[in-house]
Amino acid sequence: MSVRAAILGLLAQRPRHGYELHEAFEALVGGRAVWDLKPAQVYTTLQRLEEAGLVVRTAVRRVGGPDQHVFALTEAGRAELDRWYAEGVHSSHQRDEVFLKIVLALGDEAADAEAVIRAQRATLYRDLHELTTHRSEAAHLTQAMLLDKAIMHIEADLRWLEMADARLHEMRRHAVPVLPERRRGRPRAEAGDR
Amino acid sequence: MSIALRLAWRYLSGRKLRTALTTLAIVFGVMLIFGLNGVLPGMRDAMQRMMLAAIGEVDLTVTSASSAPFPAEVAQRVAEVRGVGAATPVARRTVAMPAKPDYKVTSLVVVGIDPATAYAVRPMPVADGRLLEERDDAPDAAPAAIASRATAEKMGVKVGDAIVLPSASGTTEVTLVGTIDSPAPPGSDELYVPLSLAQEMFALGDRITDVDAVFEATADRTAVERAVKDRLGDAYTIGGIATESTLAAGFDAAAAIFNVLGFFALAMGGFIILNTFRTVVAERRHDIGMLRATGASRRTILGLFLTESLLQGAIGTGLGLLAGWGFAVFVSGVLRGYIQGLMRMEDFGVVFEPQAWVLAVGLGMGVTVLAAVVPARAAARITPLDALRPQIGDVYEKAATRRAWAGLALIVVGAALLFVGSTGAMGLGCVLILVGMSLGAATAVKPITDATSRAIEAVYRSEGGVARANLQRNPGRAGATASAVMISIALVVMIFGMTSSVLGGYGEYAKRTTGTDFLLIPNNLIVSGGAVGAGPELAQRIRATDGIAAVATLRYAPAVVQGMTVQVIGIDPDEYGRIASFRWTEGSSDADLERLNRPGTVIANGNFRGQTGLGKGDTFTMMTPAGKRTFTIVGGGNDYINAKLPTVYVSQDALAELWGVTTDIMVLANAKEGADRAAVRAALEGIARDYPSFALYDSAEWQKVTDNLFAQLRATYTTLALMLAIPSLLALLNTLAIGVLARTREIGMLRAVGATRRQVKRMVVGESLLLASVGVAAGLVAGVPLSVFVVKAITMLGLEFPYVFPWSGMAAAVAIGLAFAGLAAWYPARQAAKLDVIRALRYE
Amino acid sequence: MAIVETKGLTKVYGSGETAVVALDHVDLTLDAGEFVAVMGPSGCGKSTLLNLIGGLDAPTSGTVVIDGREISTLSDDEMTRLRRERIGFVFQFFNLIPVLDASENAALPLVLNGTGAAEARRKAEEWLGRVGLGDRLRARPDQLSGGQQQRVAIARALVSEPALVLADEPTGNLDSKSSEEIASLLRQVSAEWGRAVLMVTHDPRIAAHADRIVFMRDGRVVDDTKIADAASARVAMERVGLL
């Protein structure tokens, strides 16, 4: 889900080809060590998005190489992306996804990072409310222990969210990390790393 | 509202030490006022009883308006008035009983009655023996007497026993012929003798002192009283005892002075209470804010604090009343021994009159509540929001400058009033200066302690600075404390100034007016009232004694001037001038003595001038037994013995003519040069033995008596000064204890960063010394005009004393201030030094 | 029914260049039985909001209507009476009078209102029983734990049957277990006993007990979210990935 949304988000910034998308994603999350996204996954996702009519592909001729396919967002894609921004993410997978939402929204003039945070916060508090309600009704300590773990996870997420909220302004000033200037051609070094 | 009371009680009992200290301040003031007011009435009553015969249960008593004896035929005139059932002449004298033989009574009222008419007025049921009969009144009858059974038992005499009484001829021996079953008037013992015997004993001639009468059963009492009055004219007084006695007035003056001192003590207590409540309000800021948030109105908060002060006042006043009772018992015990050493006076108890209760309770409660009003109002102004703010520490507080300017203005006005010249203005000026200084105290704390702390920092190098800063950051509290100390110190200076001036002056009086070689004076030092004079033969015998060069005598009669009883002292102008003299005032001199030989002339003493406003050259009328007479004042002078009372001096001829008094009340004698003093003394002692109501002194003994008296007075006043200083000790103690408590955390911090216990202790002691220095400095300044004022006020009463600058008082005040500062610091300093660092840091 | 309604509520401290806007046009409505938490970083104006609603402080502009009464027009005495009868306070510190015992503390608003001592005590003890302190009626504050003290404070806030309970960091001074208990109790205050509860807190876990959270920043309300939704805890657990 998050990779799909991330690709939509990155394409919302500007049309890109597959390799560029992969590079931009890595720049966003801080490298493969943090979030290892396989180039193949990028391509299969793009394919699915294209099939769903969320992106369109155009071929671009390159001097001294094969044609490159550049992907761009369709109107349906934009709508899908906006829906994603607006929705809160429940706590299980949110770390990555919320992060993506915030940083992508920062680079997306059509999106509102504050609104993303608000929505996320509301979602988390709702979960927390339910959990604490359940917690105060818990019959056994063992149940309470499990609930406590969940509650503490949310608390941690909320803390992170508050921090993100506090840093929004600063992040906006620094803008989204961009690709370093690279030589043309297929990067071999990266492939060799693997 | 019970919640207010409950809260007040819990808060008060929660801080026991502080409550105790604050309560003590009230207790002390109330104790002084209540205690002294408990002693004085008893003493006054005893004095009155001693001097004035108690009247029995009769409907009407007639005395002369001048209090002097009057002709016996007046009784007949009273009896003739319609509605009077019976009237009887009475000659009544209180006699001071000699120590030997011991009849176990210090004074006895000897009542001369006319057996023919007395029992119709006052029935006397026989208990034992018989009543006095008309034959006892015959000129050659054996001297007989009767007494109530209770009195006889008390005196240890039975029917048939002889009783020796002081009389004009020295002593008279009477035989107790019967006892009666009538209760004696409380506190006085009466002995009844035939009228003629009493007249003889007291050299009254044909005169009597009272007429007692009873009305017919159906008579209209007021109408009969009026008829008697009309019949006798205004030379006579109808009714009971003349309560307007000069001594009673003297006692009232003493009571007023003591009340003022007590009030000062309470004023100091007021400052202590003010401080305590300020601290309490600061401490309970959160509680107050919370209560306000919970729905307590400003009025409720005000009520809460006033209730607390009321409770505090009630506890303090209650304990003060108790302490006052103890104090009164103690003081009357001490005074009893002291007074009975001076004169034979009967016992007096501790009596609390309603006004003593009202005064003590009113002032005790009043001062407490009044002192709490300002902090309570501040408390009511605290907003509920304060409950939510964290505690702001004991930071620098700004002294109220407006108050300081008002204080300065008062001081300036007060100082100006000192130089107006009138004593009243001067008194007001002193008060204004004190009030002004109290108002300005908070502002003066900084400059004064900046100066004095140099001395302290020289000794306490590392701690002095902290002590000064601690003191200066709460100038309001420091100012109130310093004000209390100031009042104490000012009073000390005042009392010392007064004693050194007055006693010094009196010493000079004594030398000049009673500085003869020998002195025969009644056991009862106060000449007037009740003392039995000696007939002329005493003076004659002394004159005839070998080795005596000159003799002068003083005689006494009462008179009324401007409605006030005055002493009339008869002297022989020639004789008196030869061996003693007045301390002259108003430009008079020994030459004026001679002018007394002219009829209608008097010399007046300062007290008389002070009380009547009459001076040299003035003419006034005086009520004498012979009627109203006009006199001219030809000179002003004081003698030692009579200086305390309003007195005029007339020639003995005039006294005999107008008052019919020929008995001597005091005999002064000078020995011939080169005479054997011991022999003269022995001879005089022989004579004096026949006159047990007189005591013989030679000049050295007399000097010793006066010296003792002065030493005792000085000791009394020094004690009083010390006692008045005690509230300042409490004020210092209270402030320091509060300071240590409020700064518990800071002290913990200081200890944590390396201050030793000793250093912490020194900080508190240093603060105490600085605080005292402010009070002492102000007190010394305020005390000087106060002492000048007191000496001036005494001069107004007719005694002129040279003002002696109270150097000793200043020194004493500084010593007291320093000693108290150390004493007050001792406990709080120990507490501060004992603080456990960890717990102190956690203290909230 | 709205128990609290603020319109354009603004509070400025100081004036001129040193003026600090503590509260900036805040509109807030609270219904009966609603439990609302106010959150935000320190200095965001949440305590100021609470103080203005409680009538402890006067707004610079804007209005506060409590229970149908516009409070900025009330005199100090009237405001005091309104507080006494319609508002209960629970503070973080200094909640109780140290010299009174639990039941006396809880009875304070009634006693201040002139209710008879016996009646006040009876009601206070009834509420103390409800907050679970039926066995510590005679204990003085220093003999109670922090959580117990706050229970007394809550009983006191409820004893006069107020429409609104204001709580300023009621758990700020407590350990987590006691905090949880106090928060549950406050939820009970709104859910079972039908009072509107406005609570300032910085602890998410405590705020999560509320029905609604108002987020504030720089004197403004930046978000106002209902957090009590229909989802069950089981769903929440699944979402967290624990079930």
Side-chain angles (χ1 to χ4, degrees):
Chain A
M1 177 65 203
S2 52
V3 173
R4 185 169 171 262
I7 287 170
L8 288 177
L10 285 170
L11 288 180
Q13 291 172 358
R14 59 186 164 87
R16 305 172 197 255
H17 52 77
Y19 172 72
E20 210 183 332
L21 274 172
H22 184 254
E23 293 264 286
F25 186 85
E26 284 206 330
L28 208 59
V29 301
R32 210 174 301 146
V34 177
W35 189 331
D36 185 14
L37 180 65
K38 310 264 185 314
Q41 201 184 341
V42 174
Y43 289 107
T44 48
T45 308
L46 276 171
Q47 208 153 4
R48 258 184 245 135
L49 287 171
E50 193 178 14
E51 283 160 13
L54 300 178
V55 299
V56 290
R57 178 197 307 242
T58 41
V60 174
R61 284 208 59 84
R62 270 201 325 177
V63 185
D67 280 0
Q68 270 196 334
H69 299 283
V70 173
F71 298 89
L73 213 54
T74 64
E75 257 176 55
R78 179 74 232 178
E80 172 70 13
L81 184 62
D82 285 344
R83 196 160 52 246
W84 181 68
Y85 278 140
E87 260 173 16
V89 177
H90 291 287
S91 34
S92 58
H93 309 294
Q94 47 139 328
R95 261 145 304 169
D96 36 19
E97 194 175 348
V98 173
F99 162 79
L100 288 176
K101 271 195 205 185
I102 294 169
V103 290
L104 288 170
L106 275 174
D108 182 350
E109 277 181 18
D112 177 359
E114 269 98 356
V116 168
I117 288 176
R118 277 204 299 275
Q120 182 56 28
R121 187 155 51 198
T123 305
L124 288 179
Y125 269 111
R126 269 178 217 118
D127 287 349
L128 195 57
H129 180 84
E130 293 310 326
L131 289 169
T132 51
T133 306
H134 202 63
R135 167 71 172 77
S136 53
E137 289 157 5
H140 288 288
L141 186 59
T142 43
Q143 294 169 9
M145 288 293 286
L146 184 61
L147 285 161
D148 277 339
K149 183 167 187 200
I151 288 169
M152 284 169 181
H153 273 292
I154 300 186
E155 279 181 312
D157 290 340
L158 277 167
R159 267 170 59 201
W160 180 86
L161 196 65
E162 294 307 331
M163 188 190 69
D165 191 20
R167 291 183 183 171
L168 262 190
H169 180 65
E170 211 179 339
M171 286 201 285
R172 193 172 279 134
R173 266 197 305 136
H174 287 131
V176 187
V178 288
L179 287 172
E181 205 56 44
R182 284 178 188 273
R183 62 190 143 64
R184 299 182 177 246
R186 214 177 163 75
R188 279 180 302 267
E190 276 89 346
D193 281 349
R194 307 208 46 133
Chain B
M1 196 183 185
S2 75
I3 181 77
L5 213 59
R6 201 171 346 145
L7 273 174
W9 174 251
R10 302 259 178 94
Y11 276 130
L12 285 177
S13 47
R15 290 261 198 233
K16 291 210 173 56
L17 173 67
R18 186 170 66 201
T19 305
L21 283 175
T22 312
T23 307
L24 265 184
I26 311 162
V27 169
F28 190 79
V30 171
M31 179 188 88
L32 274 186
I33 290 187
F34 193 60
L36 292 172
N37 274 298
V39 176
L40 291 176
M43 270 177 74
R44 185 173 52 207
D45 284 354
M47 286 273 186
Q48 259 171 11
R49 279 201 302 272
M50 188 183 84
M51 289 180 297
L52 301 160
I55 45 163
E57 291 146 32
V58 295
D59 290 332
L60 186 87
T61 301
V62 175
T63 54
S64 78
S66 62
S67 309
F70 53 89
E73 52 91 21
V74 172
Q76 191 51 43
R77 276 157 63 192
V78 172
E80 284 160 18
V81 174
R82 250 175 103 93
V84 172
T88 185
V90 175
R92 189 183 268 127
R93 269 279 190 272
T94 303
V95 296
M97 293 297 282
K100 269 181 192 167
D102 188 4
Y103 290 115
K104 300 185 181 68
V105 289
T106 53
S107 68
L108 201 58
V109 182
V110 177
V111 186
I113 57 171
D114 172 15
T117 54
Y119 308 124
V121 175
R122 199 191 306 233
M124 293 185 177
V126 180
D128 191 17
R130 62 174 178 89
L131 291 180
L132 293 173
E133 289 160 13
E134 280 186 59
R135 62 183 160 93
D136 294 313
D137 207 14
D140 52 351
I146 60 174
S148 75
R149 194 161 54 184
T151 301
E153 277 169 10
K154 189 168 163 192
M155 291 174 67
V157 292
K158 299 187 302 289
V159 171
D161 286 354
I163 302 172
V164 181
L165 298 169
S167 72
S169 55
T171 57
T172 297
E173 193 177 296
V174 298
T175 309
L176 192 73
V177 297
T179 58
I180 52 173
D181 251 341
S182 71
S188 84
D189 293 297
E190 294 188 332
L191 189 74
Y192 304 93
V193 300
L195 182 61
S196 57
L197 178 62
Q199 287 168 333
E200 187 192 323
M201 279 173 69
F202 306 126
L204 290 169
D206 277 342
R207 288 161 310 142
I208 55 175
T209 60
D210 305 58
V211 173
D212 288 351
V214 288
F215 297 151
E216 284 169 351
T218 54
D220 172 355
R221 305 182 69 91
T222 40
V224 179
E225 265 183 35
R226 204 178 313 122
V228 172
K229 210 174 178 106
D230 289 347
R231 179 79 196 262
L232 297 179
D234 56 6
Y236 293 91
T237 306
I238 313 290
I241 330 163
T243 44
E244 178 53 39
S245 125
T246 49
L247 257 170
F251 271 102
D252 287 343
I257 291 172
F258 284 135
N259 283 340
V260 168
L261 294 181
F263 178 75
F264 271 120
L266 269 180
M268 290 184 252
F271 283 115
I272 297 174
I273 294 157
L274 177 68
N275 267 350
T276 299
F277 273 87
R278 285 157 67 114
T279 313
V280 161
V281 170
E283 244 174 42
R284 285 193 217 144
R285 234 183 61 229
H286 297 304
D287 288 7
I288 296 162
M290 197 279 290
L291 277 171
R292 291 275 290 125
T294 312
S297 62
R298 288 179 196 279
R299 228 180 0 265
T300 309
I301 302 293
L302 189 70
L304 226 55
F305 277 92
L306 291 185
T307 305
E308 189 165 335
S309 73
L310 214 59
L311 190 64
Q312 174 104 63
I315 297 171
T317 305
L319 290 174
L321 294 177
L322 215 62
W325 174 76
F327 182 63
V329 170
F330 171 75
V331 167
S332 71
V334 171
L335 279 182
R336 198 174 297 140
Y338 168 69
I339 289 175
Q340 285 176 352
L342 277 177
M343 51 184 151
R344 306 272 300 159
M345 193 176 98
E346 62 186 291
D347 261 10
F348 53 88
V350 171
V351 182
F352 293 106
E353 289 173 343
Q355 55 262 49
W357 288 92
V358 171
L359 203 65
V361 173
L363 281 176
M365 303 281 282
V367 166
T368 315
V369 174
L370 209 67
V373 163
V374 174
R377 285 169 56 107
R381 278 197 298 271
I382 290 175
T383 65
L385 265 184
D386 288 320
L388 308 167
R389 295 203 189 106
Q391 175 94 41
I392 304 163
D394 193 12
V395 287
Y396 280 87
E397 178 192 285
K398 222 178 119 208
T401 36
R402 238 184 32 213
R403 207 173 291 172
W405 283 113
L408 189 66
L410 282 184
I411 293 170
V412 169
V413 172
L417 280 175
L418 294 182
F419 299 101
V420 165
S422 106
T423 315
M426 197 164 178
L428 183 64
C430 289
V431 172
L432 288 186
I433 289 176
L434 279 175
V435 174
M437 284 185 155
S438 304
L439 285 176
T443 314
V445 163
K446 192 169 156 35
I448 295 183
T449 48
D450 277 343
T452 50
S453 111
R454 276 185 212 159
I456 286 170
E457 278 169 65
V459 186
Y460 291 179
R461 205 160 300 128
S462 52
E463 304 90 347
V466 180
R468 179 174 46 126
N470 278 342
L471 183 71
Q472 290 179 352
R473 67 182 172 181
N474 202 331
R477 189 160 69 202
T481 315
S483 299
V485 176
M486 171 191 77
I487 294 177
S488 279
I489 296 297
L491 288 178
V492 169
V493 172
M494 178 194 92
I495 287 172
F496 272 79
M498 184 184 81
T499 47
S500 31
S501 299
V502 171
L503 294 184
Y506 253 120
E508 218 237 310
Y509 275 39
K511 271 199 200 78
R512 179 151 174 103
T513 62
T514 56
T516 53
D517 294 340
F518 295 102
L519 206 64
L520 256 121
I521 57 170
N523 283 317
N524 181 340
L525 237 188
I526 295 147
V527 173
S528 69
V532 180
E537 62 274 14
L538 171 62
Q540 274 158 24
R541 283 173 67 187
I542 292 173
R543 235 175 240 123
T545 305
D546 270 350
I548 290 292
V551 173
T553 64
L554 268 66
R555 293 174 180 175
Y556 160 79
V560 173
V561 175
Q562 295 177 358
M564 179 181 62
T565 307
V566 301
Q567 297 193 111
V568 180
I569 299 290
I571 55 173
D572 181 323
D574 308 323
E575 249 182 14
Y576 190 71
R578 222 172 294 141
I579 77 169
S581 187
F582 291 106
R583 189 174 184 279
W584 294 106
T585 56
E586 297 186 85
S588 303
S589 68
D590 283 355
D592 291 323
L593 261 180
E594 208 187 308
R595 296 165 72 181
L596 276 189
N597 284 324
R598 275 182 272 151
T601 55
V602 299
I603 287 171
N605 78 351
N607 198 314
F608 179 85
R609 176 157 47 89
Q611 302 218 16
T612 61
L614 297 166
K616 190 176 177 180
D618 289 339
T619 298
F620 65 99
T621 56
M622 180 153 59
M623 183 64 73
T624 74
K628 270 187 185 158
R629 292 297 155 92
T630 303
F631 293 87
T632 305
I633 301 174
V634 296
N638 291 299
D639 80 319
Y640 170 61
I641 303 264
N642 296 302
K644 297 170 280 277
L645 297 169
T647 306
V648 292
Y649 301 86
V650 299
S651 70
Q652 288 179 349
D653 293 344
L655 201 70
E657 186 196 327
L658 297 172
W659 280 269
V661 171
T662 52
T663 51
D664 294 325
I665 210 88
M666 187 164 146
V667 183
L668 306 166
N670 264 352
K672 276 182 187 145
E673 244 172 84
D676 177 0
R677 292 230 173 183
V680 174
R681 191 190 154 90
L684 291 182
E685 263 169 17
I687 298 168
R689 211 164 295 136
D690 295 337
Y691 293 85
S693 60
F694 283 85
L696 173 73
Y697 298 94
D698 63 28
S699 56
E701 284 169 335
W702 179 244
Q703 185 67 43
K704 223 163 85 188
V705 168
T706 47
D707 284 353
N708 274 345
L709 180 64
F710 288 178
Q712 269 168 323
L713 282 174
R714 208 183 282 273
T716 308
Y717 280 108
T718 308
T719 312
L720 190 65
L722 270 174
M723 286 191 64
L724 284 168
I726 285 176
S728 69
L729 175 69
L730 289 177
L732 286 170
L733 180 56
N734 191 47
T735 300
L736 293 171
I738 286 172
V740 167
L741 205 64
R743 293 198 292 267
T744 299
R745 273 174 91 150
E746 282 177 38
I747 293 167
M749 189 272 292
L750 280 170
R751 294 270 292 117
V753 300
T756 63
R757 288 186 196 280
R758 190 178 145 77
Q759 282 172 321
V760 168
K761 215 182 253 184
R762 283 165 153 229
M763 278 169 208
V764 179
V765 174
E767 190 177 343
S768 181
L769 287 170
L770 281 171
L771 203 49
S773 74
V774 179
V776 168
L780 290 181
V781 174
V784 171
L786 211 55
S787 67
V788 176
F789 161 71
V790 170
V791 173
K792 249 211 153 144
I794 293 171
T795 306
M796 275 268 292
L797 291 175
L799 294 172
E800 275 163 37
F801 300 108
Y803 178 69
V804 180
F805 193 82
W807 290 114
S808 59
M810 300 279 220
V814 172
I816 288 175
L818 289 179
F820 277 13
L823 214 57
W826 179 75
Y827 180 75
R830 236 174 51 128
Q831 290 300 103
K834 269 202 330 210
L835 276 180
D836 177 65
V837 179
I838 305 293
R839 281 185 46 201
L841 284 172
R842 249 191 250 137
Y843 182 87
E844 253 186 38
Chain C
M1 194 196 98
I3 294 294
V4 178
E5 194 172 0
T6 75
K7 282 218 176 83
L9 200 60
T10 302
K11 178 72 184 178
V12 182
Y13 289 109
S15 61
E17 291 190 7
T18 56
V20 176
V21 181
L23 219 54
D24 190 1
H25 294 89
V26 170
D27 301 325
L28 187 72
T29 307
L30 225 78
D31 289 335
E34 205 178 8
F35 182 10
V36 176
V38 183
M39 297 193 74
S42 56
C44 71
K46 53 189 194 292
S47 283
T48 306
L49 176 67
L50 200 78
N51 294 341
L52 290 176
I53 290 174
L56 300 180
D57 207 352
T60 308
S61 67
T63 59
V64 178
V65 177
I66 304 278
D67 215 8
R69 292 183 77 182
E70 152 75 70
I71 67 168
S72 58
T73 61
L74 299 182
S75 70
D76 188 77
D77 276 356
E78 287 171 322
M79 190 59 232
T80 300
R81 202 171 317 120
L82 180 78
R83 270 206 302 272
R84 201 149 70 194
E85 290 163 2
R86 305 304 293 152
I87 306 177
F89 280 93
V90 181
F91 303 121
Q92 179 179 5
F93 302 112
F94 323 117
N95 245 320
L96 306 178
I97 300 287
V99 296
L100 296 181
D101 67 28
S103 82
E104 286 166 333
N105 261 298
L108 261 182
L110 293 179
V111 172
L112 289 170
N113 213 6
T115 310
E119 167 74 2
R121 188 168 271 259
R122 191 187 61 70
K123 278 204 167 162
E125 292 179 356
E126 185 185 315
W127 277 106
L128 283 170
R130 281 190 210 167
V131 301
L133 281 178
D135 55 340
R136 303 303 310 271
L137 300 175
R138 295 288 171 274
R140 274 207 322 271
D142 58 358
Q143 297 163 329
L144 295 172
S145 73
Q148 287 173 323
Q149 288 184 32
Q150 287 304 63
R151 282 170 190 275
V152 176
I154 290 170
R156 188 194 61 208
L158 294 170
V159 76
S160 58
E161 311 273 339
L164 172 66
V165 173
L166 298 173
D168 192 357
E169 298 277 11
T171 63
N173 221 15
L174 302 179
D175 60 86
S176 61
K177 185 167 180 291
S178 305
S179 297
E180 198 70 33
E181 285 166 5
I182 293 301
S184 300
L185 186 57
L186 285 172
R187 191 196 295 211
Q188 199 179 2
V189 168
S190 72
E192 269 180 45
W193 300 325
R195 319 276 177 242
V197 178
L198 187 63
M199 170 180 72
V200 166
T201 183
H202 65 271
D203 184 347
R205 190 160 176 173
I206 297 307
H209 284 81
D211 304 323
R212 203 176 116 196
I213 302 183
V214 172
F215 294 93
M216 292 187 66
R217 174 173 292 177
D218 301 330
R220 284 191 306 273
V221 171
V222 293
D223 198 8
D224 185 342
T225 317
K226 262 198 133 44
I227 60 165
D229 65 7
S232 70
R234 164 172 275 280
V235 175
M237 286 297 278
E238 280 165 357
R239 287 170 183 164
V240 178
L242 286 173
L243 284 179

